[in-house]
Amino acid sequence: MALTDRHPAHRRDPAAPPAALATLALAHALSAAERGLAVIPLSRTKLPALPSPHRTDPPSAPRCHGECGLPGHGVHDASTDPRRIRALFAAAPRATGYGIACGLPPHHLIGVDLDTKSGTNASASLRELALRHLFTVPDTVVVATPSGGRHLWLTGPPDVVVPNSAGRLAPGIDIRGAGGYLVGPGSRTEHGVYSAVPGTGHLPPAACPPALLRLLSPPPRPQHAAPADPQHGRHGHGLVQFVLGAHEGQRNTRLFWAACRAYESGLGDTLAGPLADAATRTGLTEHEARSTIASAARLTGGR
Ligand SMILES: [Zn+2]
């Protein structure tokens, strides 16, 4: 387009992508948004395409996650609103792809990133995990990455916060959870194009199997809080302290983790009340606390 070609920034940078690529990325992003997936524009390096409005803030400035109302907060910009998405892409003419935010309603997307680099066979590791922990990898959207990797899209329950992790489950398996994003199919990066594996692109993302979800729920912080010996009555006390020590952003995660451990130790019924009380003291509502504990009971078989 003539206007874009005359843009000084474009003239200075011969590697700038043609406007057609940005338009294509926008079209893919809008169709993902139609499926309820919140998106942001990505550059060809797979990083958010919009620069932060706080680049020149002093390091002491409070951290902003978009409260200022400006775009440029990475995954916090993610939206399913077509008007908002068009505005984000209009501000990012160099975008060649889009990211899909994980952990957001309605899907609470969990990305299982199976790497093929560094000699690991992540797909085989996942199959092995499935055999060992007795779950089946469901039919779901699979996205092929330019390096030969695979992204499986799964959905999580609304009351479980799955954190991002790299190689924690097995070598080569990265998890994209709350605060993370997946490169969407149709995105073009410097290494090539991401595309849905034929026959999977139109599947609804499948629910994460409970046994896998338990492996993805956060590990305990190495803290004084929870003594390891479940024989001790102190165990329950430690779990309650662990929940009480949560600050905003980890309250549900900690409660869920503590409740799972309580049910696994056979203390679930005894500790459900104290754990719920502790969680409400950190600011969760009674209803949120009860429903998180109930999902821990379901996932652990309520033992
Ligand atoms: Zn801001």
Side-chain angles (χ1 to χ4, degrees):
M1 259 183 272
L3 261 182
T4 318
D5 287 341
R6 277 200 298 272
H7 193 276
H10 186 94
R11 246 196 345 253
R12 250 191 317 228
D13 179 4
L21 281 186
T23 309
L24 194 60
L26 170 61
H28 283 296
L30 287 171
S31 87
E34 236 168 68
R35 304 175 70 181
L37 300 165
V39 296
I40 52 166
L42 295 184
S43 72
R44 56 170 68 239
T45 59
K46 305 192 283 183
L47 292 173
L50 286 165
S52 166
H54 305 294
R55 296 189 298 290
T56 56
D57 286 4
S60 57
R63 200 143 166 71
C64 176
H65 300 298
E67 294 84 358
C68 66
L70 296 169
H73 299 82
V75 78
H76 298 287
D77 290 348
S79 176
T80 54
D81 173 7
R83 269 193 316 192
R84 171 88 179 142
I85 295 166
R86 286 177 194 282
L88 291 173
F89 275 80
R94 301 160 56 84
T96 59
Y98 64 103
I100 298 173
C102 296
L104 296 183
H107 298 295
H108 305 278
L109 199 64
I110 301 165
V112 180
D113 182 349
L114 304 172
D115 198 1
T116 52
K117 291 188 297 255
S118 64
T120 56
N121 187 342
S123 296
S125 303
L126 181 65
R127 279 196 299 274
E128 202 182 295
L129 272 177
L131 281 174
R132 195 172 347 131
H133 295 275
L134 305 174
F135 64 86
T136 312
V137 179
D139 285 337
T140 192
V141 180
V142 181
V143 174
T145 77
S147 60
R150 293 280 184 275
H151 293 168
L152 310 187
W153 291 12
L154 299 172
T155 65
D159 49 1
V160 176
V161 178
V162 171
N164 291 300
S165 64
R168 187 165 75 75
L169 218 52
I173 304 183
D174 293 351
I175 299 299
R176 312 254 179 266
Y181 62 87
L182 287 161
V183 179
S187 293
R188 184 174 291 271
T189 69
E190 55 197 4
H191 299 296
V193 178
Y194 284 67
S195 58
V197 168
T200 74
H202 292 90
L203 294 173
C208 182
L212 176 58
L213 193 61
R214 279 178 59 196
L215 296 175
L216 302 180
S217 78
R221 292 277 170 81
Q223 272 179 356
H224 48 276
D229 183 3
Q231 300 312 105
H232 273 83
R234 286 177 59 225
H235 182 55
H237 179 71
L239 292 176
V240 170
Q241 289 302 315
F242 181 69
V243 170
L244 281 174
H247 53 70
E248 204 181 337
Q250 50 172 221
R251 296 180 302 210
N252 234 328
T253 312
R254 281 198 174 211
L255 175 61
F256 179 70
W257 184 86
C260 282
R261 299 302 87 87
Y263 279 104
E264 284 168 355
S265 324
L267 294 169
D269 292 337
T270 317
L271 285 178
L275 287 175
D277 289 346
T280 53
R281 282 171 59 189
T282 67
L284 283 189
T285 68
E286 172 104 29
H287 177 76
E288 288 170 323
R290 294 279 170 198
S291 91
T292 296
I293 292 171
S295 57
R298 275 198 310 278
L299 284 168
T300 52
R303 282 170 300 167

